[in-house]
Amino acid sequence: MSRIRLCRRSSCFLCPSSFTSPSQRPCFRRSSYIQPKSGLGLRHCSTTPMSRVRLHRRLLSSTSPPSPSWSPRDAFAAATERVRAGTLSRDDAHHMFDELFRQATPVPGRSLNGFLTALARATSSSACITDGPALALALFNRVCREQAGPRVVPLTVHTYSILMDCCCRARRPDLGLVLFGCILRTGLKIHQITASTLLKCLCYANRTEEAVNVLLHRMSELGCVPNVFSYSIILKGLCDNSMSQRALDLFQMMAKEGGACSPNVVAYNTVIHGFFKEGETGKACSLFHEMTRQGVKPDVVTYNLIIDALCKARAMDKAELVLRQMTTNGAQPDTVTYNCMIHGYATLGRLKEAAKMFRKMKSRGLIPNIVICNSFLASLCKHGRSKEAAEIFDSMTAKGHKPDIVSYCTLLHGYASEGWFADMIGLFNSMKSNGIAADCRVFNILIHAYAKRGMVDDAMLIFTEMQQQGVSPDVVTYSTVISAFSRMGRLTDAMEKFNQMVARGIQPNTAVYHSIIQGFCMHGGLVKAKELVSEMINKGIPRPDIVFFNSVINSLCKDGRVMDAHDIFDLVTDIGERPDVITFTSLIDGYCLVGKMDKAFKILDAMEVVGVETDIVTYSTLLDGYFKNGRINDGLTLFREMQRKGVKPNTVTYGIMLAGLFRAGRTVAARKKFHEMIESGTTVTVSIYGIILGGLCRNNCADEAIILFQKLGTMNVKFSITILNTMINAMYKVQRKEEAKELFATISASGLLPNESTYGVMIINLLKDGAVEDANNMFSSMEKSGIVPGSRLLNRIIRMLLEKGEIAKAGNYLSKVDGKRILLEASTTSLMLSLFSRKGKYHEDMKLLPAKYNFFDGCS
């Protein structure tokens, strides 16, 4: 229907009589009170003075006599206050109307309208009213059904307007339009509010074009003049339907008309919000600036719209500027403002700023809503700060927000990720006492936490408890358990769970099949793996692709199980999958790792036979195998063959060549290869310089390495800490000790931090020079910087001190050997045995060692 007919005849499309079939007419019959959020029907109630109907005789004969002290005005006033306070229940409202029908005194129209308005705006409460607008309509239907004309004054246009608004709020705008038809049929004068409510009903019914037509062309027929509120309703309807540009056109029409139609802050906010929703940020910002130019002062809603959009665009610095502008202009940030800022910072992982905003919000007496609290919890947990998340979690109850199932799941996942199992179980156990029932998501988090760390038996205890609490495992639960069993090689247990889930009607998905097939592939069950692949195909589930098998083959090759990997390769071809370059390269790498270079080369030939094109990664892998296995000439031959075939070496390839040549002591060939690399235009990275400098130092060319290092320094090359460690050691090696110390001193200035190797190089060289105290001071500096020495460094220091006769100082270092993380090496124990046995050189000094080493006294 393109136009709304605004006639007052009974054939008006909004009037009940205009519906031509029973299915089109609103339902007037009802056997019980209308339930909230159910299908709503409206019974026509005649309200003209001449047509008021007396109370039905059945009602008079079947109800108790009226209470003489009951006052409709007082009763409705009290009920209205209870609605606003959230203490009036649905049954209370119906009991009040029961009493009304027994009275002779009618309820005043103002009292009825006030009560219905309060219901329309009532906040839902599980304890009281769950849907105020629907209840208002249900009570109106009772008035009509019980024919309570004498007990209710004639309905005015204000009453109908309230009921139309209730229809919109109850998501039944179609019934609101029916009520408007009743207004027309009864001849009541249309007021501005009624006309605006009609526009709202049309917009809610997705009849926005008709609403625009009424606004621009038909309101005069209703005796009304459009104003800014009427326009704002249409603006919202257009923006809600993603027609913000159309809304802007109407908005500009308002501005031209001026007067009562001049856009106010609500109109601006509506269109700005519409543009932001549609991603038209530029248009939204332009309208915001236009707003300030026109002298319309932005309110907190305006600023919240801008801040929310900037936060979602991750432009937090700009959001901060708008926040400061907001406070400067006198608009006080509210809960929405801070929620946007906290969520924006948390999403970006800027937790320090998010926490600061969180504290600032609470200092102003504002309480973050549960969604923002959960978002902040998730960000803290995501960045490994579950302990801080727990503090927020604990404060939520104190601040009026009871943690929900999402809160618990978030913190449980945080504890699980960081391995805080005791805290995880403690939190899980607290759920029941706090009235939160654990669901499948909760149990899946616990099971996954244990399974991921190989604690499958603990995972199965949770699996059992889950079922005891009446929670059924889902496909995710079974997938987690089956994957854990498969990784551990417990394939019988994996198949037991697989068969169990099928028996329970839970269909295994791709992830389940992949886990169990990978388990059989990794543990020698290729026949069963092939059966499962066939089963997948028969069920219409996509079989594992070459990417999946490449992962399995690569894992086996890295573990040195290249023959098993080759069996998987054969399985791939048996099931009709075509190996790709990654498959062949993984096999080549596997054969290289076990030193079977001839078989590796045969794989390269096989690639060409089946038409799989070799790439630089394949050649680089084979070259690395040749050089690491000492077959330098074969490597150089392959390199030339690769170039003849048009495969251009890259930085990684040259790095492999240089490292292999230096390792073989072929320094001249390495220099030549480096010059060839430069001439070819291949990028020379810091890692290449590290290979060259390290290779020169290992081949007694330290002076040449130092010259190159200094030259690179003048070129502003940014060295790694590994290169600096190499050069410090080289300088000590050629007795350029002061230069080594100066280089060590400049590490921090270069933006790097010394690591254990750096301190180790310095300490060992200082001990070689006999500077024991300097070495001790260097060791203390290392510990103060938070670096924990490893067993290898500590054992070497102990041996060097013992060899120099520094027994007491060696004893200090021996006290750091805890037998757990740091152990005595065999060479250290052998040296101590020779020095402190009964015939040893330092037998008498054994008392300077920690008491736990006195057992050497009994050795001869």
Side-chain angles (χ1 to χ4, degrees):
M1 182 175 295
S2 61
R3 297 178 59 186
I4 297 180
R5 298 174 57 199
L6 298 176
C7 64
R8 288 179 169 79
R9 297 190 304 271
S10 61
S11 61
C12 173
F13 87 103
L14 289 172
C15 296
S17 59
S18 67
F19 291 93
T20 56
S21 67
S23 63
Q24 292 177 305
R25 294 171 184 156
C27 177
F28 293 156
R29 296 186 304 275
R30 59 195 304 276
S31 58
S32 61
Y33 297 145
I34 296 175
Q35 300 298 321
K37 297 189 179 180
S38 65
L40 297 173
L42 293 176
R43 182 177 181 85
H44 172 60
C45 182
S46 179
T47 58
T48 57
M50 298 298 295
S51 61
R52 288 170 53 181
V53 183
R54 292 185 178 84
L55 190 62
H56 199 276
R57 291 190 182 88
R58 177 183 54 79
L59 185 64
L60 291 173
S61 61
S62 62
T63 57
S64 58
S67 171
S69 61
W70 194 81
S71 165
R73 183 191 301 273
D74 294 341
F76 272 79
T80 301
E81 290 304 315
R82 288 183 63 192
V83 172
R84 291 169 181 163
T87 60
L88 185 79
S89 70
R90 172 180 167 275
D91 288 340
D92 292 337
H94 279 291
H95 290 156
M96 182 177 68
F97 271 71
D98 289 340
E99 186 66 30
L100 172 66
F101 296 150
R102 291 194 293 267
Q103 299 299 317
T105 306
V107 59
R110 184 181 295 272
S111 299
L112 176 64
N113 290 348
F115 177 68
L116 294 176
T117 301
L119 284 178
R121 299 172 181 174
T123 303
S124 295
S125 168
S126 58
C128 300
I129 297 173
T130 57
D131 193 334
L135 178 58
L137 295 172
L139 295 172
F140 171 73
N141 264 359
R142 281 200 64 190
V143 170
C144 300
R145 180 177 63 83
E146 303 287 0
Q147 298 180 344
R151 306 299 175 252
V152 179
V153 297
L155 299 183
T156 66
V157 70
H158 300 295
T159 311
Y160 276 114
S161 297
I162 295 166
L163 292 169
M164 288 171 65
D165 184 54
C166 287
C167 291
C168 290
R169 294 172 186 264
R171 299 179 182 84
R172 288 300 307 273
D174 54 322
L175 299 181
L177 296 175
V178 172
L179 283 168
F180 185 74
C182 293
I183 296 174
L184 295 179
R185 194 166 66 85
T186 56
L188 293 172
K189 182 181 178 181
I190 306 298
H191 288 187
Q192 188 71 44
I193 294 176
T194 312
S196 295
T197 309
L198 168 64
L199 296 176
K200 186 189 294 187
C201 287
L202 289 169
C203 290
Y204 275 46
N206 292 321
R207 294 163 65 173
T208 314
E209 290 298 335
E210 294 177 53
V212 173
N213 184 53
V214 171
L215 175 73
L216 299 180
H217 306 296
R218 299 292 174 181
M219 283 189 71
S220 58
E221 295 182 23
L222 297 171
C224 302
V225 178
N227 59 17
V228 66
F229 301 106
S230 310
Y231 274 99
S232 295
I233 290 169
I234 303 299
L235 291 176
K236 185 177 185 303
L238 290 169
C239 291
D240 287 346
N241 285 281
S242 301
M243 299 166 65
S244 297
Q245 183 57 51
R246 179 81 185 280
L248 181 61
D249 296 338
L250 185 63
F251 181 90
Q252 291 168 345
M253 188 184 301
M254 290 174 64
K256 288 180 181 179
E257 191 168 334
C261 296
S262 295
N264 60 9
V265 67
V266 175
Y268 274 102
N269 290 345
T270 300
V271 184
I272 288 171
H273 184 227
F275 278 129
F276 275 133
K277 279 201 307 181
E278 294 178 39
E280 297 283 357
T281 306
K283 292 181 179 179
C285 292
S286 296
L287 191 57
F288 173 71
H289 295 310
E290 175 67 20
M291 175 183 189
T292 55
R293 283 195 299 270
Q294 294 297 326
V296 179
K297 187 178 180 180
D299 63 4
V300 65
V301 176
T302 319
Y303 285 111
N304 286 346
L305 291 172
I306 305 294
I307 289 172
D308 181 52
L310 291 171
C311 290
K312 287 177 179 175
R314 303 192 169 196
M316 296 308 300
D317 294 338
K318 291 182 180 179
E320 280 280 6
L321 289 174
V322 175
L323 180 60
R324 285 196 289 271
Q325 179 186 345
M326 175 182 185
T327 53
T328 302
N329 292 339
Q332 292 302 313
D334 61 5
T335 303
V336 175
T337 317
Y338 285 109
N339 285 344
C340 292
M341 295 296 295
I342 292 168
H343 184 68
Y345 279 127
T347 302
L348 289 174
R350 295 171 63 177
L351 302 181
K352 185 177 180 181
E353 291 93 334
K356 181 180 177 182
M357 199 62 64
F358 200 84
R359 290 192 297 270
K360 189 174 181 180
M361 180 181 186
K362 291 196 291 184
S363 69
R364 290 179 173 238
L366 300 173
I367 302 175
N369 62 32
I370 190 68
V371 175
I372 294 303
C373 287
N374 288 343
S375 174
F376 194 30
L377 287 177
S379 295
L380 287 168
C381 292
K382 182 180 178 181
H383 291 84
R385 296 165 66 175
S386 58
K387 293 294 186 180
E388 293 176 54
E391 294 176 9
I392 301 295
F393 182 91
D394 294 335
S395 70
M396 286 169 68
T397 303
K399 295 296 181 180
H401 280 306
K402 183 180 179 182
D404 60 9
I405 189 70
V406 176
S407 314
Y408 278 97
C409 285
T410 301
L411 189 52
L412 285 169
H413 190 270
Y415 282 145
S417 299
E418 295 179 51
W420 301 106
F421 287 171
D423 294 307
M424 179 183 74
I425 294 301
L427 181 64
F428 169 71
N429 291 333
S430 72
M431 291 181 68
K432 187 175 183 180
S433 60
N434 290 326
I436 304 292
D439 60 10
C440 197
R441 290 175 297 171
V442 172
F443 285 106
N444 285 346
I445 290 170
L446 303 183
I447 291 170
H448 183 265
Y450 286 119
K452 186 179 179 181
R453 295 177 181 257
M455 303 165 67
V456 185
D457 292 334
D458 294 290
M460 290 311 300
L461 290 175
I462 300 295
F463 184 86
T464 302
E465 182 177 347
M466 174 184 191
Q467 296 172 90
Q468 289 173 347
Q469 291 192 19
V471 179
S472 299
D474 62 5
V475 68
V476 176
T477 320
Y478 279 107
S479 178
T480 303
V481 172
I482 290 170
S483 178
F485 280 136
S486 298
R487 283 196 306 271
M488 297 181 68
R490 294 172 58 174
L491 299 174
T492 302
D493 293 325
M495 283 305 301
E496 178 188 342
K497 292 303 171 191
F498 180 86
N499 293 329
Q500 184 184 96
M501 74 181 292
V502 173
R504 291 184 176 183
I506 302 172
Q507 291 304 313
N509 58 15
T510 303
V512 174
Y513 275 106
H514 279 197
S515 296
I516 202 163
I517 289 171
Q518 184 171 0
F520 280 111
C521 288
M522 296 293 291
H523 297 90
L526 296 187
V527 174
K528 185 62 178 178
K530 193 172 181 179
E531 288 178 10
L532 289 168
V533 170
S534 299
E535 185 177 313
M536 289 181 73
I537 295 170
N538 293 334
K539 287 185 176 181
I541 301 173
R543 71 185 182 195
D545 58 12
I546 193 61
V547 175
F548 168 81
F549 286 111
N550 285 346
S551 174
V552 176
I553 289 171
N554 187 58
S555 296
L556 290 169
C557 288
K558 296 296 184 189
D559 291 341
R561 297 168 56 188
V562 66
M563 297 308 297
D564 292 333
H566 210 130
D567 290 338
I568 303 298
F569 179 88
D570 294 335
L571 173 63
V572 169
T573 56
D574 287 346
I575 65 173
E577 197 68 49
R578 188 172 186 270
D580 60 12
V581 65
I582 297 175
T583 322
F584 285 102
T585 302
S586 295
L587 276 180
I588 289 172
D589 187 42
Y591 280 117
C592 290
L593 287 173
V594 297
K596 296 183 177 181
M597 297 308 303
D598 292 336
K599 287 193 174 183
F601 191 78
K602 287 180 180 179
I603 297 294
L604 185 70
D605 289 338
M607 290 180 70
E608 296 179 358
V609 171
V610 298
V612 176
E613 187 176 352
T614 53
D615 59 12
I616 189 58
V617 178
T618 310
Y619 277 108
S620 295
T621 302
L622 192 52
L623 281 169
D624 190 47
Y626 276 131
F627 280 106
K628 285 181 177 177
N629 284 281
R631 295 175 60 170
I632 309 301
N633 292 330
D634 289 332
L636 293 171
T637 301
L638 180 64
F639 184 80
R640 289 190 292 270
E641 180 185 335
M642 177 186 80
Q643 289 179 307
R644 281 197 305 271
K645 290 183 176 181
V647 180
K648 186 179 179 180
N650 59 17
T651 302
V652 175
T653 316
Y654 276 110
I656 291 168
M657 299 285 290
L658 291 168
L661 291 170
F662 277 122
R663 193 163 44 242
R666 298 171 67 163
T667 309
V668 175
R671 290 193 190 97
K672 182 179 178 183
K673 191 61 65 179
F674 179 58
H675 291 306
E676 178 187 316
M677 177 182 182
I678 295 173
E679 290 171 1
S680 69
T682 306
T683 303
V684 181
T685 61
V686 173
S687 62
I688 294 294
Y689 287 125
I691 291 170
I692 295 168
L693 292 170
L696 290 171
C697 292
R698 285 193 300 273
N699 285 278
N700 300 316
C701 300
D703 288 321
E704 183 182 348
I706 293 170
I707 293 171
L708 176 60
F709 174 75
Q710 292 170 340
K711 181 179 179 182
L712 293 173
T714 61
M715 296 165 58
N716 294 321
V717 174
K718 300 296 182 182
F719 299 112
S720 65
I721 191 64
T722 303
I723 291 177
L724 296 184
N725 294 344
T726 300
M727 297 316 300
I728 291 171
N729 196 44
M731 289 172 180
Y732 268 113
K733 192 173 183 180
V734 294
Q735 300 303 306
R736 298 168 70 165
K737 301 173 186 177
E738 292 305 316
E739 291 181 61
K741 292 177 182 178
E742 288 175 8
L743 181 57
F744 175 80
T746 61
I747 289 177
S748 298
S750 64
L752 298 171
L753 292 174
N755 56 19
E756 187 200 3
S757 298
T758 317
Y759 283 107
V761 167
M762 293 297 295
I763 292 168
I764 298 304
N765 280 291
L766 287 170
L767 288 175
K768 285 180 180 178
D769 291 342
V772 177
E773 287 302 323
D774 290 341
N776 285 338
N777 293 335
M778 187 65 68
F779 189 88
S780 298
S781 297
M782 177 177 69
E783 289 188 311
K784 287 178 182 177
S785 66
I787 298 173
V788 180
S791 284
R792 185 175 180 182
L793 175 60
L794 207 58
N795 274 272
R796 191 171 181 188
I797 293 172
I798 292 169
R799 289 195 299 270
M800 292 184 74
L801 289 171
L802 290 174
E803 288 167 353
K804 289 180 178 294
E806 297 283 352
I807 309 303
K809 289 184 172 59
N812 291 334
Y813 288 98
L814 280 165
S815 65
K816 300 178 185 297
V817 177
D818 56 12
K820 296 178 182 177
R821 193 185 64 83
I822 300 177
L823 302 170
L824 279 183
E825 294 175 355
S827 56
T828 309
T829 305
S830 177
L831 177 61
M832 291 179 69
L833 183 62
S834 66
L835 294 176
F836 298 109
S837 63
R838 291 177 182 175
K839 296 180 181 180
K841 182 179 179 180
Y842 298 114
H843 178 70
E844 298 300 325
D845 296 321
M846 190 167 54
K847 60 181 177 294
L848 299 175
L849 301 179
K852 61 183 177 181
Y853 297 105
N854 289 340
F855 66 88
F856 286 109
D857 187 35
C859 301
S860 56

